Amino acid sequence: MTIYQAMQLDVKSCKENIRKACNKKEKRKYALALVLKDIGCVLFAILFISMMNLFFGNANSSAAVVIFCILLMAREIDFGYDIKSSMFHLFLTFLILAVSPCIAQRYGTGIGLCVNLFSVGFLMLTVCRQPLYGGAGLYLFGYLFLYGNPVEGHDFFLRIMEMLAGFLICGTVFWVKHHEKKDREPFSKLLKQFSIFDQVGRWQVQVTLGVVLGIFIGELLHMERLMWMGCSCLTVLSQYGEEPKKRAFQRVGGVIAGSLLFGILYQVWPESMQSMIGVVSGLCLGLCAAYHWKTLLNCFGALIMASSLFGVGTAIVLRIVNNVAGCCFGIFFYYIYHWIMDWLEKKRGGAGLQSAGQ
């Protein structure tokens, strides 16, 4: 395997190859590939987001981040159905990401609940239907991130234009990488097979209702930086086939440690270099495979942005409180939801047996 080929591996696989390497030369090759991939990805992210901001304004930098993340996934993972339907739903996904978060924020809690329920439900049904592909973590994160950074007026028009440009970029990459796959069923056939009583359908409804209700409750409580609560709910509820407690504890621990460490670094780091905290954390993030380390390092970028709005102390408190609240609600919702679904399945099974007996 060449260094370039090794750079195509994910962090976990690359680290596993380093661990299993039979000699120092091979270890150095995989280590170099990991570092080069990390530096290249960060530099490309800076260049890509800076160019998008140049054309569409700094107020829409959050949209540039979302497009960049989708671009990385579009290279590797499709939606699991035919390419024509995939391209159509990718376009609708970008349209929803451009419009729905801003509408939900603008028109208040009631209309926002309906908009979020429709939008998150659509994303889960179309581009997040394969649990192990990781689409829920990406596309719903994008929705929540844009929900937490709404724009109005001319900036809203620019956001729509930016997301259209994002679709053209990501759609081109998606088509080039996946259009030759022939073993894909039509989306219409897969849609007919949907049921809330099969494992995947149950998971899709779980994520949709849990995330949307988490946001709704946060709105009722007038919580600031609500997207953090939504993201923590998403983290807990999007784990397919797993109980949420382990991931919740990992997130809470990572958030508390990362927030406190950020507070210390922010005080001792030279003021002229504080903007570089996000870049350094991004480089470190690219070398991590474990979720708790990723959570810790993600705090730095999130708190750099929030500190400019709320101040460092308030931003840290909001980061911790919102994540703890989101994880607690996610665990509570998970067990209530599964209790209700188990009860419905028993009722359904009992009705089926009674019908067969007649």
Side-chain angles (χ1 to χ4, degrees), residues 11-27:
V11 176
K12 186 176 180 180
S13 299
C14 205
K15 285 191 169 184
E16 186 69 15
N17 285 339
I18 294 172
R19 188 179 67 83
K20 292 181 177 180
C22 55
N23 54 63
K24 290 184 178 180
K25 182 179 178 180
E26 193 172 358
K27 284 182 181 288

Side-chain angles (χ1 to χ4, degrees), residues 102-114:
C102 296
I103 293 177
Q105 284 279 30
R106 180 180 178 85
Y107 290 102
T109 305
I111 294 178
L113 174 65
C114 297

Side-chain angles (χ1 to χ4, degrees), residues 143-179:
Y143 186 88
L144 293 169
F145 191 45
L146 295 172
Y147 182 82
N149 295 277
V151 288
E152 296 182 343
H154 184 62
D155 287 329
F156 180 53
F157 170 76
L158 289 177
R159 175 164 294 185
I160 294 174
M161 294 297 101
E162 182 170 14
M163 296 306 286
L164 176 60
F167 166 72
L168 294 175
I169 296 169
C170 297
T172 299
V173 172
F174 190 95
W175 176 273
V176 170
K177 291 291 184 177
H178 306 296
H179 77 280

Side-chain angles (χ1 to χ4, degrees), residues 50-65:
S50 297
M51 290 297 295
M52 297 296 276
N53 290 349
L54 181 64
F55 287 104
F56 302 104
N58 290 329
N60 281 310
S61 61
S62 55
V65 172

Side-chain angles (χ1 to χ4, degrees), residues 100-276:
S100 292
C102 296
I103 293 177
Q105 284 279 30
R106 180 180 178 85
Y107 290 102
T109 305
I111 294 178
L113 174 65
C114 297
V115 172
N116 288 334
L117 188 61
F118 168 80
S119 301
V120 173
F122 175 86
L123 295 176
M124 285 301 301
L125 189 63
T126 57
V127 297
C128 305
R129 59 173 306 278
Q130 295 285 353
L132 301 182
Y133 284 10
L138 172 66
Y139 291 102
L140 295 194
F141 159 75
Y143 186 88
L144 293 169
F145 191 45
L146 295 172
Y147 182 82
N149 295 277
V151 288
E152 296 182 343
H154 184 62
D155 287 329
F156 180 53
F157 170 76
L158 289 177
R159 175 164 294 185
I160 294 174
M161 294 297 101
E162 182 170 14
M163 296 306 286
L164 176 60
F167 166 72
L168 294 175
I169 296 169
C170 297
T172 299
V173 172
F174 190 95
W175 176 273
V176 170
K177 291 291 184 177
H178 306 296
H179 77 280
E180 293 183 350
K181 294 180 179 178
K182 304 300 182 184
D183 58 337
R184 295 292 187 259
E185 294 182 299
F187 176 75
S188 57
K189 181 179 179 179
L190 298 174
L191 185 60
K192 290 177 183 177
Q193 297 171 354
F194 173 82
S195 170
I196 63 170
F197 293 106
D198 68 33
Q199 195 170 4
V200 174
R202 183 166 171 164
W203 170 79
Q204 289 175 306
V205 175
Q206 168 188 299
V207 177
T208 300
L209 292 180
V211 170
V212 171
L213 288 176
I215 295 173
F216 179 67
I217 291 172
E219 289 281 8
L220 292 178
L221 296 175
H222 303 289
M223 297 178 70
E224 297 282 358
R225 215 61 180 166
L226 185 56
M227 67 179 183
W228 288 343
M229 182 173 178
C231 287
S232 59
C233 283
L234 174 63
T235 296
V236 168
L237 295 172
S238 62
Q239 301 308 298
Y240 181 66
E242 298 179 13
E243 290 196 4
K245 289 184 286 188
K246 179 181 178 181
R247 183 54 63 95
F249 283 123
Q250 287 178 327
R251 184 170 184 92
V252 169
V255 164
I256 293 174
S259 299
L260 296 178
L261 182 58
F262 171 83
I264 295 171
L265 287 176
Y266 197 87
Q267 297 301 319
V268 302
W269 204 285
E271 187 173 350
S272 59
M273 298 289 289
Q274 285 175 349
S275 60
M276 292 297 295

Side-chain angles (χ1 to χ4, degrees), residues 293-333:
W293 287 113
K294 291 181 179 179
T295 302
L296 186 152
L297 291 167
N298 273 327
C299 288
F300 294 0
L303 288 170
I304 280 287
M305 296 177 62
S307 294
S308 63
L309 299 173
F310 304 104
V312 178
T314 303
I316 289 174
V317 171
L318 286 174
R319 179 77 176 171
I320 294 174
V321 169
N322 282 16
N323 276 274
V324 171
C327 287
C328 289
F329 175 79
I331 292 173
F332 171 79
F333 176 83

